[in-house]
């Protein structure tokens, strides 16, 4: 699910909107208007769903201002650092219809389904 192009493909954008559901900025619940790179394309960020997020227009423009920084963690969370140095963590949302697993086996099964969904969206 990555491409060498700067813009996300239609399927990548749809996936990001389905996955994130609302603006990915921790304090914002606005509707998604932009599919954007977490690590900016100009800074070497890949046009891939792992480096993508759904943002409202306002948050997308704000994060372009000087002093803002975003990075991803191994578990899919986005760490946003503001110009004042405060950091906020935005965990990757659960898929629509997700419910807590009854067991570790159930959790692994759900993770496999999510991987297959990501692959199908490519």
């Amino acid at each position: 699910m990555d491409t060498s192009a700067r813009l996300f493909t239609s399927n990548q954008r749809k996936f990001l909107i389905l996955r994130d559901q609302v603006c990915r900025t921790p304090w914002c619940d606005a509707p998604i208007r932009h599919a954007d790179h977490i690590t900016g394309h100009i800074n070497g960020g890949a046009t891939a769903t792992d480096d993508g997020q759904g943002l409202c227009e306002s948050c997308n423009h704000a994060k372009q201002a000087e002093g803002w920084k975003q990075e991803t963690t191994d578990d899919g969370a986005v760490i946003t650092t503001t110009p004042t140095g405060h950091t906020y963590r935005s965990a990757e949302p659960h898929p629509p219809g997700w419910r807590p697993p009854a067991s570790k086996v159930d959790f692994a099964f759900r993770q496999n389904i999510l991987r297959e969904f990501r692959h199908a969206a490519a």
Side-chain angles (χ1 to χ4, degrees):
M1 297 224 347
D2 64 33
T3 175
S4 59
R6 183 191 179 293
L7 298 176
F8 290 96
T9 66
S10 175
N11 284 341
Q12 287 174 318
R13 180 175 164 69
K14 288 176 190 174
F15 175 80
L16 292 172
I17 291 169
L18 283 171
R19 183 195 67 193
D20 293 347
Q21 302 166 35
V22 295
C23 181
R24 188 75 183 265
T25 304
W27 54 83
C28 184
D29 289 332
I32 294 171
R33 298 287 184 243
H34 295 182
D36 192 41
H37 295 81
I38 296 167
T39 302
H41 189 267
I42 197 165
N43 296 327
T47 304
T49 56
D50 288 345
D51 188 45
Q53 61 183 339
L55 295 172
C56 71
E57 187 172 0
S58 178
C59 289
N60 188 30
H61 291 303
K63 80 176 201 98
Q64 305 299 324
E66 190 171 329
W68 289 82
K69 180 183 172 193
Q70 288 191 314
E71 58 189 341
T72 57
T73 62
D74 291 339
D75 65 354
V78 177
I79 305 296
T80 301
T81 305
T82 66
T84 61
H86 292 86
T87 59
Y88 300 90
R89 186 177 199 279
S90 170
E92 187 175 271
H94 296 295
W98 183 89
R99 60 186 168 81
S103 68
K104 289 185 179 186
V105 173
D106 192 31
F107 179 75
F109 176 74
R110 291 173 190 272
Q111 290 299 101
N112 287 336
I113 289 174
L114 183 58
R115 274 190 220 100
E116 290 176 19
F117 177 71
R118 283 182 173 163
H119 180 69

